[in-house]
Amino acid sequence: MHFAHLPAGYITSKLFVKKFEKRKVTAKTFIQWGMFGAIAPDLDFIYYVVDHSKHDHHQFYTHFPFVWMVLFFLSLFALLLDFNRGRTMAFAFIFTFNGLIHTLLDTIAGYVLIFAPFADINKPFTLAHYFPWDEGFLELFVILWALYLWKKDKILGVFSKIGSSLNMIE
Ligand SMILES: [Zn+2]
């Protein structure tokens, strides 16, 4: 997965933001944290560049689904215990959730060490063989979905205008 991580982060953040209205989170900040989480696993590129490592970057711990699953459940737990209904835990939730989604999307598109650090580090796993779509279609689908959510009001407005102008013709 190359281009769809940010749009995927936008989609999940946009779908979740209403659930956190009581916590007085601003939609913009919430979505920013979500989109940051959606690309956070790829920050291992920095290590890759500094280290001049010959490893595939999916072999670093930022790409272990297990790591994100632990972070996600910790943040979910903290969110449920956070009776003050603060914003921080809402941001932590969407950040770690999108990090987890990132590793799952990478599993669909390519090889990921799904059982690391417990299983053989040299045996990456992919869902690509089981997925009916090409990676490109998946990316396109995610990007179009994000664009739709971003411009939903305008798109619906155009359709309602077309609809009402068709009524006028009749
Ligand atoms: Zn990645």
Side-chain angles (χ1 to χ4, degrees), residues 5 41-42 57-58 63 102 106:
H5 284 307
D42 280 341
H57 82 107
H58 282 176
H63 268 95
H102 178 118
D106 274 357

Side-chain angles (χ1 to χ4, degrees), residues 16 25 31 38 40 86 92 105 122 131 135 161:
F16 269 108
V25 295
I31 291 169
L105 286 174
N122 295 314
F131 207 68
E135 184 193 345
K161 261 187 201 161

Side-chain angles (χ1 to χ4, degrees), residues 13 26 30 32 34 37 63 89 98-99 106 136 138 148 161 164-165:
S13 312
T26 46
F30 186 80
Q32 279 170 349
H63 268 95
M89 284 307 128
N98 280 336
D106 274 357
L138 179 66
Y148 170 72
K161 261 187 201 161
S164 56
S165 61

Side-chain angles (χ1 to χ4, degrees), residues 6 9-10 13 25-40 87-88 90-99:
L6 269 181
Y10 180 78
S13 312
V25 295
T26 46
K28 198 179 162 197
T29 320
F30 186 80
I31 291 169
Q32 279 170 349
W33 272 107
M35 289 174 82
F36 181 41
I39 53 161
R87 276 174 266 192
T88 315
F91 298 147
F93 166 83
I94 198 64
F95 179 84
T96 55
F97 181 70
N98 280 336

Side-chain angles (χ1 to χ4, degrees), residues 1-158:
M1 184 95 5
H2 299 102
F3 309 107
H5 284 307
L6 269 181
Y10 180 78
I11 293 168
T12 48
S13 312
K14 190 91 177 163
L15 294 178
F16 269 108
V17 70
K18 281 223 162 71
K19 300 239 178 251
F20 293 97
E21 264 172 354
K22 278 186 193 150
R23 289 177 182 259
K24 296 193 174 73
V25 295
T26 46
K28 198 179 162 197
T29 320
F30 186 80
I31 291 169
Q32 279 170 349
W33 272 107
M35 289 174 82
F36 181 41
I39 53 161
D42 280 341
L43 290 179
D44 55 11
F45 270 116
I46 297 167
Y47 183 70
Y48 185 74
V49 170
V50 173
D51 188 53
H52 299 291
S53 173
K54 287 178 182 68
H55 287 95
D56 173 29
H57 82 107
H58 282 176
Q59 290 182 342
F60 289 109
Y61 70 90
T62 58
H63 268 95
F64 294 172
F66 178 77
V67 167
W68 286 99
M69 215 172 297
V70 169
L71 291 175
F72 171 68
F73 279 113
L74 283 176
S75 71
L76 187 66
F77 197 58
L79 183 75
L80 295 174
L81 289 178
D82 179 26
F83 299 114
N84 297 329
R85 297 192 167 272
R87 276 174 266 192
T88 315
M89 284 307 128
F91 298 147
F93 166 83
I94 198 64
F95 179 84
T96 55
F97 181 70
N98 280 336
L100 180 61
I101 296 283
H102 178 118
T103 59
L104 296 179
L105 286 174
D106 274 357
T107 313
I108 294 170
Y111 287 87
V112 162
L113 297 165
I114 198 124
F115 297 116
F118 302 110
D120 189 348
I121 202 108
N122 295 314
K123 275 192 189 142
F125 172 82
T126 182
L127 285 171
H129 305 311
Y130 311 100
F131 207 68
W133 290 351
D134 185 71
E135 184 193 345
F137 280 117
L138 179 66
E139 299 220 35
L140 186 66
F141 175 74
V142 172
I143 291 166
L144 289 177
W145 186 6
L147 280 175
Y148 170 72
L149 286 179
W150 185 33
K151 294 288 176 194
K152 194 174 168 185
D153 295 339
K154 277 202 176 142
I155 293 168
L156 293 180
V158 168

